[in-house]
Structures are given as C-alpha cells and as structure tokens.
C-alpha cells in the first residue's frame, strides 16, 4: 500500500515538474490533469490504510487534449514526446503494481479496489497514447 502511495506521489511530482517547465498550454493542461489524478489515487490509498471506505469516485470522461496538441507537433517539433513516453511508462508500471496487488489479495473488496485503480491507470496510459497517435501517426500496440 505504501509503495502505491509512493508511486502516486512520484507520478504527481513528475507531472507537476513538467507542467511547470513546458511552454505549451496543451501540455501544461494535460500534465496538471494527470498530477491531480495521481493526487486522488494517493488519497484513495491513504484512506484504505486508515481503514476507511475503498471506493473510487467515478470520473466523467477524460478531457480530450488532441486538438490542443495539434500545434505542438507542427514542423516536426516533437518537444513533449519524450516526456509523454516517460509518462506512459509511469502509468504502465503503476497499473502493473495494482494488478499484482489485486492478484495476491484474498479480500474481494480489496481486489476490486486495486482492479479499479489499475483500470484508471490504463485510462491515463491510453489518453497519452492517443495523443501521441493523433500527433505523430504512430500508435503503440499494447
């Protein structure tokens, strides 16, 4: 559980660092959105450690950043691609952690909690992957 909180905190710091350093408004918006998501996940895990409810609030649809990113990738300027690839890796590793925790849990409620967190992380991965696809015409098959 503490490892999950650490992953989420590190992910939040990662996204905040790049939100602060980027000059592209679309990238800034996406990184701030993802930082806020990581903050929520850490709170879910902290609540669990305190013995509180294992619920995860259902989000509305994720924002669509593709149109806003169109200007970022003009004239073969791929300034944010490396950061986005690192972000995809972070989301995948966190998803894998939650799937592993789900698989070793003997409690049904706990298993469902980790599966939901893994699904949210997968959604973040897919969001970033979709942006890369829209911007570069290259989609990683996962």
């Amino acid at each position: 559980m503490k490892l999950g909180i650490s992953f989420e905190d590190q992910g939040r710091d990662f996204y905040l660092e790049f939100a602060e350093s980027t000059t592209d408004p679309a990238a800034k918006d996406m990184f701030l959105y993802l930082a806020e998501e990581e903050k929520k996940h850490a709170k879910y895990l902290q609540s669990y450690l305190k013995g509180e409810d294992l619920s995860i609030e259902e989000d509305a649809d994720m924002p669509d950043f593709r149109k806003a990113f169109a200007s970022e990738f003009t004239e073969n300027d791929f300034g944010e691609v490396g950061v986005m690839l690192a972000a995809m890796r972070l989301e995948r590793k966190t998803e894998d952690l939650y799937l592993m925790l789900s698989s070793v849990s003997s409690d049904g409620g706990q298993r469902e909690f980790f599966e939901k967190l893994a699904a949210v992380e997968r959604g973040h991965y897919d969001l970033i992957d979709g942006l890369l696809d829209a911007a570069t015409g290259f989609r990683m098959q996962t």
Side-chain angles (χ1 to χ4, degrees), residues 2-75:
K2 290 181 181 179
L3 180 61
I5 292 169
S6 176
F7 269 34
E8 298 296 350
D9 288 343
Q10 290 175 46
R12 181 174 181 268
D13 292 345
F14 173 84
Y15 291 130
L16 287 174
E17 177 183 335
F18 286 103
E20 188 174 305
S21 66
T22 188
T23 58
D24 182 85
K28 181 182 286 292
D29 288 347
M30 184 191 70
F31 292 137
L32 289 174
Y33 168 79
L34 290 169
E36 192 59 34
E37 287 289 294
E38 302 305 321
K39 181 180 174 182
K40 286 193 310 192
H41 301 169
K43 284 177 68 175
Y44 297 148
L45 294 168
Q46 290 165 349
S47 293
Y48 174 77
L49 278 178
K50 294 175 187 173
E52 297 172 3
D53 187 28
L54 292 180
S55 66
I56 297 174
E57 67 183 62
E58 296 293 325
D59 282 338
D61 292 334
M62 277 191 259
D64 184 354
F65 296 100
R66 286 177 291 197
K67 284 187 179 181
F69 261 94
S71 64
E72 173 68 17
F73 296 98
T74 58
E75 300 176 19

Side-chain angles (χ1 to χ4, degrees), residues 113-129:
F113 174 74
F114 288 124
E115 288 170 358
K116 285 182 179 180
L117 275 176
V120 171
E121 299 296 350
R122 169 51 66 160
H124 295 164
Y125 178 95
D126 290 341
L127 169 74
I128 300 164
D129 188 39

